[in-house]
Amino acid sequence: MAVAFDAATEHVRIDTTSPQTFSHTGAASGVKGVAVCIVHGTSSTDHVSACSYGGVALTRIQRNVDTANEPGASEIWFLGTGVLQGAQTVSYTPGATTDDIHATAITLTGAIDLEVVDQDGISENAPNPSVTLQYGGKTCISVAALYGGGAAPTSFTENANCTRVHDHDLGAFYSVVTRQTTPGTADFAIGGTASADDVAYSAIAVSEANRRAQVSWAEFEVPDLPPRRAQISWAELEVPDLPARRAQVSWAEFEVPDLSTGETSGSLSCLGVGR
């Protein structure tokens, strides 16, 4: 099982209440990540100071702004570990600004925890907002948030293999949230076409995280005569993504008893082990 889109919910803030909250219903199981895209116009001020999902804090990964003509901003917050299942409350803290804000929560599924593998964005006036995110051969899905200075969300047309998640007309400008339709391993251009105008465009790529395990105790034989044993006192394992079936010790210490002195010593740089 690789990273995949689960569900999305949008919410529009039109008052000055802070924090803002809304409900999002993710899958009953398998939800490993959540991205919250936040877009606003009227100003490029950094309003949002915190964001959480089910009471668990998200980290802001990317923020872009447009400061000329029609100012605005876009940003993406992300959580890839300890994500709660089912219906949860999304909360973000925008302060007392009167700027209308469009927020979209997106849950993602996977077999293990998720992580952001790349991020990019565009600030200030530009045509055809699009960025190519680097996947490094991992199976990823991209998510993007666009503030555009056009008259309506119809001013923007998505690239191939991009799906519009939600949009909102903010008056003289708009918000569009998109995702990669089908996750893949090739570097991906997420974006679309639009006339040159005000732009604040943020994008991230998400995949299953590399897994790590720690060896708490292990013993192996050292082939000098007479037979001696060495004990690993500490080690860290890197476990590749499934379906790979081997793990690599990236660093370890071990003790080898010296029969002549009674002292111990040793070192180990790499060891392949089966799982």
PDB file of all heavy atoms in Angstrom, residues 153-177:
ATOM      1  N   PRO A 153     -12.326  31.347  -9.830  1.00  0.00           N
ATOM      2  CA  PRO A 153     -11.531  30.125  -9.951  1.00  0.00           C
ATOM      3  C   PRO A 153     -11.468  29.567 -11.370  1.00  0.00           C
ATOM      4  O   PRO A 153     -10.544  28.805 -11.694  1.00  0.00           O
ATOM      5  CB  PRO A 153     -12.256  29.147  -9.009  1.00  0.00           C
ATOM      6  CG  PRO A 153     -12.926  30.019  -8.003  1.00  0.00           C
ATOM      7  CD  PRO A 153     -13.349  31.227  -8.764  1.00  0.00           C
ATOM      8  N   THR A 154     -12.401  29.932 -12.215  1.00  0.00           N
ATOM      9  CA  THR A 154     -12.366  29.479 -13.605  1.00  0.00           C
ATOM     10  C   THR A 154     -11.203  30.110 -14.375  1.00  0.00           C
ATOM     11  O   THR A 154     -10.921  29.706 -15.512  1.00  0.00           O
ATOM     12  CB  THR A 154     -13.685  29.819 -14.312  1.00  0.00           C
ATOM     13  OG1 THR A 154     -13.976  31.218 -14.138  1.00  0.00           O
ATOM     14  CG2 THR A 154     -14.833  29.002 -13.740  1.00  0.00           C
ATOM     15  N   SER A 155     -10.515  31.069 -13.785  1.00  0.00           N
ATOM     16  CA  SER A 155      -9.349  31.682 -14.429  1.00  0.00           C
ATOM     17  C   SER A 155      -8.179  30.702 -14.514  1.00  0.00           C
ATOM     18  O   SER A 155      -7.218  30.947 -15.252  1.00  0.00           O
ATOM     19  CB  SER A 155      -8.895  32.920 -13.649  1.00  0.00           C
ATOM     20  OG  SER A 155      -9.924  33.872 -13.544  1.00  0.00           O
ATOM     21  N   PHE A 156      -8.241  29.587 -13.778  1.00  0.00           N
ATOM     22  CA  PHE A 156      -7.136  28.627 -13.688  1.00  0.00           C
ATOM     23  C   PHE A 156      -7.581  27.274 -14.209  1.00  0.00           C
ATOM     24  O   PHE A 156      -8.674  26.791 -13.883  1.00  0.00           O
ATOM     25  CB  PHE A 156      -6.708  28.505 -12.220  1.00  0.00           C
ATOM     26  CG  PHE A 156      -5.605  27.521 -11.962  1.00  0.00           C
ATOM     27  CD1 PHE A 156      -4.284  27.832 -12.256  1.00  0.00           C
ATOM     28  CD2 PHE A 156      -5.882  26.279 -11.402  1.00  0.00           C
ATOM     29  CE1 PHE A 156      -3.268  26.928 -12.010  1.00  0.00           C
ATOM     30  CE2 PHE A 156      -4.874  25.368 -11.149  1.00  0.00           C
ATOM     31  CZ  PHE A 156      -3.557  25.687 -11.457  1.00  0.00           C
ATOM     32  N   THR A 157      -6.730  26.650 -15.035  1.00  0.00           N
ATOM     33  CA  THR A 157      -6.992  25.314 -15.568  1.00  0.00           C
ATOM     34  C   THR A 157      -5.862  24.388 -15.179  1.00  0.00           C
ATOM     35  O   THR A 157      -4.687  24.674 -15.464  1.00  0.00           O
ATOM     36  CB  THR A 157      -7.131  25.338 -17.103  1.00  0.00           C
ATOM     37  OG1 THR A 157      -8.181  26.231 -17.475  1.00  0.00           O
ATOM     38  CG2 THR A 157      -7.427  23.955 -17.640  1.00  0.00           C
ATOM     39  N   GLU A 158      -6.176  23.258 -14.545  1.00  0.00           N
ATOM     40  CA  GLU A 158      -5.156  22.342 -14.032  1.00  0.00           C
ATOM     41  C   GLU A 158      -4.377  21.656 -15.158  1.00  0.00           C
ATOM     42  O   GLU A 158      -4.895  21.425 -16.251  1.00  0.00           O
ATOM     43  CB  GLU A 158      -5.810  21.255 -13.158  1.00  0.00           C
ATOM     44  CG  GLU A 158      -6.299  21.750 -11.819  1.00  0.00           C
ATOM     45  CD  GLU A 158      -7.637  22.443 -11.875  1.00  0.00           C
ATOM     46  OE1 GLU A 158      -8.262  22.473 -12.968  1.00  0.00           O
ATOM     47  OE2 GLU A 158      -8.070  22.973 -10.830  1.00  0.00           O
ATOM     48  N   ASN A 159      -3.110  21.302 -14.837  1.00  0.00           N
ATOM     49  CA  ASN A 159      -2.298  20.463 -15.711  1.00  0.00           C
ATOM     50  C   ASN A 159      -2.892  19.060 -15.787  1.00  0.00           C
ATOM     51  O   ASN A 159      -3.754  18.679 -14.990  1.00  0.00           O
ATOM     52  CB  ASN A 159      -0.868  20.344 -15.169  1.00  0.00           C
ATOM     53  CG  ASN A 159      -0.065  21.621 -15.329  1.00  0.00           C
ATOM     54  OD1 ASN A 159      -0.402  22.481 -16.133  1.00  0.00           O
ATOM     55  ND2 ASN A 159       1.001  21.737 -14.557  1.00  0.00           N
ATOM     56  N   ALA A 160      -2.372  18.265 -16.725  1.00  0.00           N
ATOM     57  CA  ALA A 160      -2.752  16.861 -16.819  1.00  0.00           C
ATOM     58  C   ALA A 160      -2.388  16.138 -15.523  1.00  0.00           C
ATOM     59  O   ALA A 160      -1.377  16.458 -14.883  1.00  0.00           O
ATOM     60  CB  ALA A 160      -2.047  16.209 -18.005  1.00  0.00           C
ATOM     61  N   ASN A 161      -3.204  15.157 -15.143  1.00  0.00           N
ATOM     62  CA  ASN A 161      -3.016  14.359 -13.922  1.00  0.00           C
ATOM     63  C   ASN A 161      -3.104  15.208 -12.667  1.00  0.00           C
ATOM     64  O   ASN A 161      -2.555  14.851 -11.626  1.00  0.00           O
ATOM     65  CB  ASN A 161      -1.701  13.574 -13.945  1.00  0.00           C
ATOM     66  CG  ASN A 161      -1.703  12.419 -12.941  1.00  0.00           C
ATOM     67  OD1 ASN A 161      -2.751  11.935 -12.523  1.00  0.00           O
ATOM     68  ND2 ASN A 161      -0.529  11.990 -12.531  1.00  0.00           N
ATOM     69  N   CYS A 162      -3.794  16.348 -12.746  1.00  0.00           N
ATOM     70  CA  CYS A 162      -4.079  17.170 -11.567  1.00  0.00           C
ATOM     71  C   CYS A 162      -5.598  17.272 -11.403  1.00  0.00           C
ATOM     72  O   CYS A 162      -6.325  17.476 -12.377  1.00  0.00           O
ATOM     73  CB  CYS A 162      -3.495  18.571 -11.701  1.00  0.00           C
ATOM     74  SG  CYS A 162      -1.693  18.655 -11.672  1.00  0.00           S
ATOM     75  N   THR A 163      -6.058  17.125 -10.185  1.00  0.00           N
ATOM     76  CA  THR A 163      -7.492  17.177  -9.879  1.00  0.00           C
ATOM     77  C   THR A 163      -7.773  18.328  -8.923  1.00  0.00           C
ATOM     78  O   THR A 163      -7.073  18.485  -7.913  1.00  0.00           O
ATOM     79  CB  THR A 163      -7.953  15.860  -9.229  1.00  0.00           C
ATOM     80  OG1 THR A 163      -7.800  14.796 -10.167  1.00  0.00           O
ATOM     81  CG2 THR A 163      -9.410  15.944  -8.791  1.00  0.00           C
ATOM     82  N   ARG A 164      -8.781  19.124  -9.241  1.00  0.00           N
ATOM     83  CA  ARG A 164      -9.177  20.206  -8.343  1.00  0.00           C
ATOM     84  C   ARG A 164      -9.875  19.608  -7.120  1.00  0.00           C
ATOM     85  O   ARG A 164     -10.843  18.860  -7.249  1.00  0.00           O
ATOM     86  CB  ARG A 164     -10.098  21.193  -9.061  1.00  0.00           C
ATOM     87  CG  ARG A 164     -10.471  22.395  -8.214  1.00  0.00           C
ATOM     88  CD  ARG A 164     -11.117  23.490  -9.044  1.00  0.00           C
ATOM     89  NE  ARG A 164     -10.231  23.965 -10.106  1.00  0.00           N
ATOM     90  CZ  ARG A 164     -10.352  25.142 -10.719  1.00  0.00           C
ATOM     91  NH1 ARG A 164     -11.324  25.983 -10.365  1.00  0.00           N
ATOM     92  NH2 ARG A 164      -9.509  25.475 -11.686  1.00  0.00           N
ATOM     93  N   VAL A 165      -9.395  19.952  -5.944  1.00  0.00           N
ATOM     94  CA  VAL A 165      -9.975  19.442  -4.705  1.00  0.00           C
ATOM     95  C   VAL A 165     -11.127  20.332  -4.260  1.00  0.00           C
ATOM     96  O   VAL A 165     -12.242  19.873  -4.029  1.00  0.00           O
ATOM     97  CB  VAL A 165      -8.892  19.356  -3.609  1.00  0.00           C
ATOM     98  CG1 VAL A 165      -9.496  18.872  -2.299  1.00  0.00           C
ATOM     99  CG2 VAL A 165      -7.761  18.430  -4.040  1.00  0.00           C
ATOM    100  N   HIS A 166     -10.839  21.639  -4.124  1.00  0.00           N
ATOM    101  CA  HIS A 166     -11.862  22.631  -3.785  1.00  0.00           C
ATOM    102  C   HIS A 166     -11.402  23.979  -4.328  1.00  0.00           C
ATOM    103  O   HIS A 166     -10.195  24.192  -4.572  1.00  0.00           O
ATOM    104  CB  HIS A 166     -12.063  22.740  -2.269  1.00  0.00           C
ATOM    105  CG  HIS A 166     -12.895  21.627  -1.688  1.00  0.00           C
ATOM    106  ND1 HIS A 166     -14.204  21.399  -2.064  1.00  0.00           N
ATOM    107  CD2 HIS A 166     -12.593  20.690  -0.749  1.00  0.00           C
ATOM    108  CE1 HIS A 166     -14.671  20.362  -1.396  1.00  0.00           C
ATOM    109  NE2 HIS A 166     -13.724  19.913  -0.590  1.00  0.00           N
ATOM    110  N   ASP A 167     -12.332  24.897  -4.484  1.00  0.00           N
ATOM    111  CA  ASP A 167     -11.981  26.267  -4.847  1.00  0.00           C
ATOM    112  C   ASP A 167     -12.964  27.224  -4.199  1.00  0.00           C
ATOM    113  O   ASP A 167     -14.006  26.808  -3.679  1.00  0.00           O
ATOM    114  CB  ASP A 167     -11.926  26.469  -6.365  1.00  0.00           C
ATOM    115  CG  ASP A 167     -13.267  26.194  -7.050  1.00  0.00           C
ATOM    116  OD1 ASP A 167     -14.346  26.468  -6.466  1.00  0.00           O
ATOM    117  OD2 ASP A 167     -13.261  25.688  -8.185  1.00  0.00           O
ATOM    118  N   HIS A 168     -12.612  28.517  -4.226  1.00  0.00           N
ATOM    119  CA  HIS A 168     -13.514  29.520  -3.647  1.00  0.00           C
ATOM    120  C   HIS A 168     -13.249  30.867  -4.293  1.00  0.00           C
ATOM    121  O   HIS A 168     -12.091  31.267  -4.475  1.00  0.00           O
ATOM    122  CB  HIS A 168     -13.311  29.636  -2.137  1.00  0.00           C
ATOM    123  CG  HIS A 168     -14.314  30.534  -1.475  1.00  0.00           C
ATOM    124  ND1 HIS A 168     -15.654  30.205  -1.343  1.00  0.00           N
ATOM    125  CD2 HIS A 168     -14.172  31.765  -0.922  1.00  0.00           C
ATOM    126  CE1 HIS A 168     -16.290  31.184  -0.744  1.00  0.00           C
ATOM    127  NE2 HIS A 168     -15.418  32.154  -0.482  1.00  0.00           N
ATOM    128  N   ASP A 169     -14.332  31.553  -4.630  1.00  0.00           N
ATOM    129  CA  ASP A 169     -14.257  32.899  -5.177  1.00  0.00           C
ATOM    130  C   ASP A 169     -14.198  33.880  -4.008  1.00  0.00           C
ATOM    131  O   ASP A 169     -15.153  33.995  -3.229  1.00  0.00           O
ATOM    132  CB  ASP A 169     -15.488  33.168  -6.049  1.00  0.00           C
ATOM    133  CG  ASP A 169     -15.368  34.459  -6.836  1.00  0.00           C
ATOM    134  OD1 ASP A 169     -14.582  35.338  -6.420  1.00  0.00           O
ATOM    135  OD2 ASP A 169     -16.070  34.587  -7.851  1.00  0.00           O
ATOM    136  N   LEU A 170     -13.066  34.562  -3.881  1.00  0.00           N
ATOM    137  CA  LEU A 170     -12.861  35.500  -2.778  1.00  0.00           C
ATOM    138  C   LEU A 170     -13.207  36.941  -3.170  1.00  0.00           C
ATOM    139  O   LEU A 170     -12.801  37.885  -2.498  1.00  0.00           O
ATOM    140  CB  LEU A 170     -11.412  35.427  -2.298  1.00  0.00           C
ATOM    141  CG  LEU A 170     -11.014  34.110  -1.603  1.00  0.00           C
ATOM    142  CD1 LEU A 170      -9.497  33.978  -1.524  1.00  0.00           C
ATOM    143  CD2 LEU A 170     -11.629  34.022  -0.218  1.00  0.00           C
ATOM    144  N   GLY A 171     -13.954  37.106  -4.258  1.00  0.00           N
ATOM    145  CA  GLY A 171     -14.334  38.448  -4.699  1.00  0.00           C
ATOM    146  C   GLY A 171     -13.562  38.825  -5.941  1.00  0.00           C
ATOM    147  O   GLY A 171     -13.808  38.310  -7.032  1.00  0.00           O
ATOM    148  N   ALA A 172     -12.579  39.709  -5.799  1.00  0.00           N
ATOM    149  CA  ALA A 172     -11.750  40.119  -6.928  1.00  0.00           C
ATOM    150  C   ALA A 172     -10.583  39.163  -7.153  1.00  0.00           C
ATOM    151  O   ALA A 172      -9.753  39.385  -8.038  1.00  0.00           O
ATOM    152  CB  ALA A 172     -11.227  41.538  -6.702  1.00  0.00           C
ATOM    153  N   PHE A 173     -10.496  38.092  -6.374  1.00  0.00           N
ATOM    154  CA  PHE A 173      -9.422  37.089  -6.483  1.00  0.00           C
ATOM    155  C   PHE A 173     -10.000  35.745  -6.036  1.00  0.00           C
ATOM    156  O   PHE A 173     -11.171  35.667  -5.673  1.00  0.00           O
ATOM    157  CB  PHE A 173      -8.207  37.475  -5.633  1.00  0.00           C
ATOM    158  CG  PHE A 173      -8.530  38.320  -4.442  1.00  0.00           C
ATOM    159  CD1 PHE A 173      -9.006  37.757  -3.263  1.00  0.00           C
ATOM    160  CD2 PHE A 173      -8.405  39.705  -4.495  1.00  0.00           C
ATOM    161  CE1 PHE A 173      -9.316  38.531  -2.156  1.00  0.00           C
ATOM    162  CE2 PHE A 173      -8.728  40.499  -3.397  1.00  0.00           C
ATOM    163  CZ  PHE A 173      -9.182  39.919  -2.218  1.00  0.00           C
ATOM    164  N   TYR A 174      -9.175  34.684  -6.090  1.00  0.00           N
ATOM    165  CA  TYR A 174      -9.734  33.350  -5.853  1.00  0.00           C
ATOM    166  C   TYR A 174      -8.711  32.427  -5.201  1.00  0.00           C
ATOM    167  O   TYR A 174      -7.501  32.715  -5.142  1.00  0.00           O
ATOM    168  CB  TYR A 174     -10.207  32.737  -7.178  1.00  0.00           C
ATOM    169  CG  TYR A 174      -9.100  32.479  -8.179  1.00  0.00           C
ATOM    170  CD1 TYR A 174      -8.387  31.280  -8.181  1.00  0.00           C
ATOM    171  CD2 TYR A 174      -8.760  33.439  -9.134  1.00  0.00           C
ATOM    172  CE1 TYR A 174      -7.373  31.045  -9.091  1.00  0.00           C
ATOM    173  CE2 TYR A 174      -7.753  33.222 -10.049  1.00  0.00           C
ATOM    174  CZ  TYR A 174      -7.068  32.011 -10.024  1.00  0.00           C
ATOM    175  OH  TYR A 174      -6.044  31.799 -10.927  1.00  0.00           O
ATOM    176  N   SER A 175      -9.228  31.273  -4.735  1.00  0.00           N
ATOM    177  CA  SER A 175      -8.406  30.213  -4.163  1.00  0.00           C
ATOM    178  C   SER A 175      -8.716  28.905  -4.896  1.00  0.00           C
ATOM    179  O   SER A 175      -9.883  28.605  -5.160  1.00  0.00           O
ATOM    180  CB  SER A 175      -8.703  30.047  -2.668  1.00  0.00           C
ATOM    181  OG  SER A 175      -8.143  28.849  -2.160  1.00  0.00           O
ATOM    182  N   VAL A 176      -7.660  28.139  -5.207  1.00  0.00           N
ATOM    183  CA  VAL A 176      -7.824  26.814  -5.794  1.00  0.00           C
ATOM    184  C   VAL A 176      -6.862  25.855  -5.094  1.00  0.00           C
ATOM    185  O   VAL A 176      -5.670  26.156  -4.957  1.00  0.00           O
ATOM    186  CB  VAL A 176      -7.544  26.803  -7.312  1.00  0.00           C
ATOM    187  CG1 VAL A 176      -7.519  25.355  -7.833  1.00  0.00           C
ATOM    188  CG2 VAL A 176      -8.584  27.605  -8.065  1.00  0.00           C
ATOM    189  N   VAL A 177      -7.375  24.710  -4.661  1.00  0.00           N
ATOM    190  CA  VAL A 177      -6.545  23.652  -4.077  1.00  0.00           C
ATOM    191  C   VAL A 177      -6.592  22.449  -5.016  1.00  0.00           C
ATOM    192  O   VAL A 177      -7.680  22.004  -5.405  1.00  0.00           O
ATOM    193  CB  VAL A 177      -7.043  23.259  -2.674  1.00  0.00           C
ATOM    194  CG1 VAL A 177      -6.261  22.060  -2.138  1.00  0.00           C
ATOM    195  CG2 VAL A 177      -6.919  24.445  -1.726  1.00  0.00           C
TER     196      VAL A 177
END
